[in-house]
Amino acid sequence: MDCKTASDLLPLYFDGELDRATSREFEAHLDECASCQAALIELDALRQSLRHEAARYKAPQALRTRIERAAAAPVAARALQNRVRWLALAASWVLAFVAGGFTLEAWNHGSASVSEESQLTRDLFASHWRALAAAAPIDVVSTDQHTVKPWFAGRIAVSPTVRDYADQGYALIGGRIDYVGSERVPVLVYRHGKHLIDVFVLPPAVVPAGTAPVRQQGYVLERASMGGQAVAMVSDMDETELTRFRDLVDASSRGE
Amino acid sequence: MISTPSRTVVDELALRHLDAAYNLGRWLLGSEQDAADAVHDAYLRAARACDTYAGGNARAWWLAIVRNCCLARLAVRSKDTRNVAIDGDPAAAERWLPHTGADDIEERLDSSRRTQQIDVQLQRLPVVYREVLILREIEELSYREIADVLETPMGTVMSRLARGRALLQKALTEDGTTGAPHGL
């Protein structure tokens, strides 16, 4: 990684918005670059100043009382359609604090390892978002599955089955390596219209139990099987679109 | 008393994130009374405007409403700048006094003075940079959440954050070095 790229990525790294693979590369550059180190130290000094020296004003008790009083006042009952929407908000809100700031609308109850499951889900969403925030969500840019597959083989223990669905409107555009928990996994990146789809090839150890789609902040996660391997897909496409892609992938796997 | 599920959620949301809302309002408006009023407005608006919530992060949705209420107050205030509230806090008063780089040299290393410097310099920043710094550094929101609060693309968040940090660093450096030539 050259210094120009590193200095572009520096704030993203500092704010915890880079995927882990890119973070590692950045750290490798950081070890050797005094000016990037200095810039990072400066950003951190500013943050410490703001956190410890700038005032974080607490809401006065009078305001709290005002809001509590307003909350206790009766309101006209709302239309039923709003209730459904708000129940979803309620669920996401409750989970937001469980998940430490993530709104996780996971409806996969009854799974024996819900916490592990939601940890996995969070990792997958976080990887997808970081990749979107990074300069490029792709380490190897190629629309050719015969290029993408060997690229992984040189860098990671597993060489995933790579398929292209360009004819059906979901074009392979490349791949990257990302982390799920502490495992390095291959991620295949597809494009559909303006949307990117990340397909995480999951190691056997972390195959999720649930099958229902999970929604979070306008993104959807689906699971499928691609060429006999378990995969998780994350995208900001709407659910029906992503489900269509999932069914397509599942069907092509069965056709083998 | 009628209580709908939606109402309960807004109440809990507002009360749970009341400090974050007030802190944002206080930094945007600079006055305790205005901040409290803006948060109260925001609560009433949130309780009425359930249907504007389109999924996603609830805290970001609530803070977006708070921010809009604050900006509305700022717009009214800038039309009538003669009514600037100088409240009892010295940092606010100092904003309206002529500023020189040579104030209180002997107190420079005093931590309360340092705190005041940060406050003053942060208040001096244009609102677009101030708010993004408050949300990221003090409230610790992610880029995605900040983008939701500001209702802007993530790229805008990143560029404003970078610019805001650079401006604040520069201001603090100039403020901290006595007699440093300005206009570097």
Side-chain angles (χ1 to χ4, degrees), chain A residues 142-157:
Chain A
S142 171
T143 54
D144 176 11
Q145 61 207 70
H146 305 295
T147 308
V148 175
K149 184 177 165 71
W151 180 87
F152 281 116
R155 286 167 182 77
I156 200 167

Side-chain angles (χ1 to χ4, degrees), chain B residues 70-96:
Chain B
C70 292
L71 295 184
R73 278 174 183 268
L74 275 180
V76 170
R77 192 195 289 175
S78 65
K79 275 192 203 139
D80 189 5
T81 41
R82 285 170 312 156
N83 294 352
V84 168
I86 295 185
D87 47 24
D89 116 60
E94 195 170 325
R95 283 207 306 288
W96 309 108

